[in-house]
Amino acid sequence: MKIWLDGGLQDIEFARVSVLDHGLTVGDGIFETVKAVHGRLFALTRHLDRLARSARGLGLPEPDLDEVRHACAAVLDANPMALGRLRITYTGGVSPLGSDRGDHGPTLVVALGETTRRADSTAVITVPWTRNERGALTGLKTTSYAENVVALARAHEQGASEALFANTVGQLCEGTGSNVFVVLDGEIHTPPVASGCLAGITRALVVEWTGARETDLPLDVLESADELFLTSTLRDVQAVHRVDTRELSGTPGPVTAKAMRAFDERAGDDLDP
């Protein structure tokens, strides 16, 4: 396995990032996960646009997107696989032991791991912790992910693959690594970005391709929605068959199934929508 680090490909066994890298010491970094299908990336332009937005929001130097594209292509060529998770990580680089950044320059890592297609439906839970819709990192895809690690571990303990958060005012927000959609009276709704959720790439495409509405939703909508589904880079569109103790249909509902088909068809027609 080869990864991209410090301007070139390196064997993963020997690739090393400094123990003083700001991404390690204080979580000062951003990342993107891109789906790779037989060596081809899906929606790479949208992912790179969000990478640049996250860098600006965190105050990191603007990433060289041409270099990132070149790195992605090199890693894909070096590691052929049917379905992969390509991870672009961009950090503040070697810095002092503290919150101040150093002048060493950013670190860029591009790595690829093999994955499998997700199941058509999954179980989720809600957690008591909240997303801060007014936080300094709101809407940025940063490497400060410990909150998600804790919530996802609780989900796994309860036989679920995802945990859903409300925001500080009790509105439905997002999952640890996904966006959430609900079906009410045949219409698809999803929380707006103002709720504090990440502006997911798959979320945006589903909104465009299905006509879903961005709506402020109370967390307890999960108790009454006709159907629920999640979206993310690796889930695409995935139905929810259980939320906490509430059981829904074991197969995707009619509106969710239509959204799944629409996404698969449109994504198949255009790899960089």
Side-chain angles (χ1 to χ4, degrees), residues 40 52-53 61 63 66 69 75 79 84-85 123 146 171 178 180 185 188 190 205 213 243 246 256-257 264 267:
R40 303 178 70 189
R53 291 198 304 272
D66 288 336
R69 283 183 180 274
V75 170
N79 305 287
R85 174 202 303 256
Q171 296 170 332
S178 67
V180 58
D185 296 326
I188 303 173
T190 193
L205 293 172
R213 297 171 55 188
V243 53
R246 183 190 177 203
T256 300
D264 286 346

Side-chain angles (χ1 to χ4, degrees), residues 249-266:
S249 172
T251 58
V255 178
T256 300
K258 184 177 179 181
M260 295 170 77
R261 289 193 300 270
F263 186 85
D264 286 346
E265 291 169 3
R266 295 289 294 269

Side-chain angles (χ1 to χ4, degrees), residues 42-59:
F42 179 68
L44 179 60
T45 297
R46 287 181 183 248
H47 281 285
L48 294 185
D49 287 346
R50 188 172 64 184
L51 184 78
R53 291 198 304 272
S54 293
R56 289 191 294 271
L58 208 57

Side-chain angles (χ1 to χ4, degrees), residues 114-134:
E114 197 162 14
T115 188
T116 57
R117 180 171 170 81
R118 52 91 180 113
D120 281 345
S121 70
T122 192
V124 304
I125 66 166
T126 56
V127 290
W129 310 295
T130 59
R131 289 294 202 225
N132 181 1
E133 69 278 6
R134 299 174 63 187

Side-chain angles (χ1 to χ4, degrees), residues 58-125:
L58 208 57
L60 290 169
E62 192 82 8
D64 182 341
L65 298 186
D66 288 336
E67 179 190 3
V68 178
R69 283 183 180 274
H70 175 67
C72 292
V75 170
L76 288 170
D77 288 344
N79 305 287
M81 60 185 67
L83 182 62
R85 174 202 303 256
L86 183 132
R87 160 92 178 214
I88 304 165
T89 307
Y90 185 74
T91 78
V94 176
S95 301
L97 287 173
S99 296
D100 290 327
R101 291 192 180 113
D103 55 8
H104 187 273
T107 298
L108 173 65
V109 180
V110 178
L112 182 67
E114 197 162 14
T115 188
T116 57
R117 180 171 170 81
R118 52 91 180 113
D120 281 345
S121 70
T122 192
V124 304
I125 66 166

